[in-house]
Amino acid sequence: MNKSIYTKPTDFKEQNSIISEHVVPTLPGLIASHHQGRFEWFPTDLLPASANMNAEQLELVDETKQQAKKLPNIARCALVLNLITEEGLPSYHRLLHDAFGADEAWATWRNQWTAEEDRHGNIIRDYIRDCRLVDMKQVEQMQFEYVANGWAPEWSGDPYMTIAYTSFQERATQYSHRNLGKFVRQYTPNLTRVLSCVAGDESRHYKFYCSLLKTLVKVDTRRALESMFKILQIFKMPGHEMPCFSNMSLVEHSLNIFGPQEFSAVINDVLNFIGLEKLTQLDNYCEDLRQKLLAYPTRLMKLHNRLIDRVKDKVSKLEFSFLTDPLAV
């Protein structure tokens, strides 16, 4: 991807003015709707770990560990990728602060979002560790390196790009957790339940950010569409710089957990949510952007169809040091 397509403005005075006038007033209602729709859960609800567990909880712990033994290494690899992707939370929190500052309404959402997201890495890590799925020391080293390096995309501080990115990224993360949950159901329904809770959070976060994006498209169509198109051209999932990310991503691609095919569906979801197909009375420039955005999912599907056989062949030859045995695709 060519980074040169994004030129950071010297300031965001106009964007921030529009956000203050049109987006910030929607935050209390969106936050209230989010609270009404969210499902409160904690890692120990799904993976009991208290000092005085009852018989039912002890049975669940033993059942979870027994089921986990059936997981093939290819699923363990995908689970490690999903874990480490979640571990960039400090950088994600900072990204939201850089874009929206310390405004009370934004801070309320940012802190709520962070608290909910924090559960994701916690429960996936607990599952991997408690079930002894991998060489945990190596995974911890990967986590440490990822957090220590941080993540600061070139568009950090750009409020429109941040809203566009989070809309696509939250849906993409939901797809990744949900699809991995579907894949592992035949081996361990208990892990499917864990990943379903995580995916549920991501779905609600997607709706929140996409609602913000829909407002931007309505009140500042030109810059909103520009931001969406630029983000898609340089889009990378959080964690793309972490060790082994590319090869672990190939594993998920080969399993239809997440790759170009799934990202194509993600883009369609976002475009449908904001009503891009129905946008009318656009000037020539905005209409050109609209058409390019609508065509993007088809481009990705062509990429998927062209690459999938080569991806599966490459994955069959991969090895990961945190796994004790080959992938056994």
Side-chain angles (χ1 to χ4, degrees), residues 90-282:
S91 292
Y92 314 155
H93 182 94
R94 190 209 67 250
L95 186 72
L96 295 180
H97 184 274
D98 288 348
F100 307 117
D103 176 88
E104 183 178 354
W106 283 117
T108 297
W109 167 251
R110 182 174 64 247
N111 293 334
Q112 175 69 38
W113 174 85
T114 301
E116 293 176 10
E117 288 282 339
D118 187 52
R119 298 178 298 194
H120 302 172
N122 289 342
I123 193 168
I124 297 174
R125 185 182 189 280
D126 288 349
Y127 182 91
I128 292 174
R129 181 188 176 99
D130 290 356
C131 295
R132 307 294 190 264
L133 295 182
V134 298
D135 182 331
M136 199 63 197
K137 178 66 175 292
Q138 291 196 46
V139 172
E140 289 173 342
Q141 290 171 332
M142 293 165 67
Q143 291 174 292
F144 183 89
E145 183 175 339
Y146 177 33
V147 176
N149 288 340
W151 182 61
E154 57 184 317
W155 43 265
S156 181
D158 185 323
Y160 280 35
M161 294 285 279
T162 300
I163 289 174
Y165 180 81
T166 51
S167 297
F168 290 116
Q169 187 270 331
E170 292 283 5
R171 192 61 154 181
T173 310
Q174 179 204 350
Y175 268 61
S176 181
H177 291 306
R178 183 198 67 186
N179 290 343
L180 179 55
K182 289 180 179 179
F183 179 80
V184 302
R185 184 180 291 121
Q186 60 185 309
Y187 308 105
T188 166
N190 287 0
L191 177 55
T192 298
R193 189 167 70 252
V194 166
L195 293 171
S196 293
C197 279
V198 175
D201 278 355
E202 304 291 9
S203 177
R204 289 181 284 275
H205 296 162
Y206 152 74
K207 291 176 182 177
F208 184 94
Y209 288 115
C210 219
S211 295
L212 304 182
L213 182 60
K214 186 174 184 178
T215 297
L216 284 184
V217 170
K218 180 180 179 180
V219 301
D220 193 3
T221 306
R222 184 187 185 95
R223 275 188 291 225
L225 295 183
E226 282 179 338
S227 296
M228 292 171 63
F229 187 60
K230 289 176 181 177
I231 277 292
L232 287 180
Q233 290 179 289
I234 58 176
F235 186 91
K236 293 179 180 178
M237 287 293 281
H240 64 273
E241 295 179 345
M242 74 171 114
C244 305
F245 179 87
S246 295
N247 283 342
M248 287 191 287
S249 293
L250 288 176
V251 171
E252 293 206 342
H253 185 180
S254 72
L255 297 175
N256 294 325
I257 292 172
F258 193 79
Q261 174 178 254
E262 290 69 38
F263 195 44
S264 173
V266 164
I267 296 171
N268 273 325
D269 288 347
V270 173
L271 300 186
N272 288 335
F273 191 105
I274 66 172
L276 190 69
E277 184 75 51
K278 299 177 182 178
L279 276 185
T280 57
Q281 297 181 328
L282 302 176

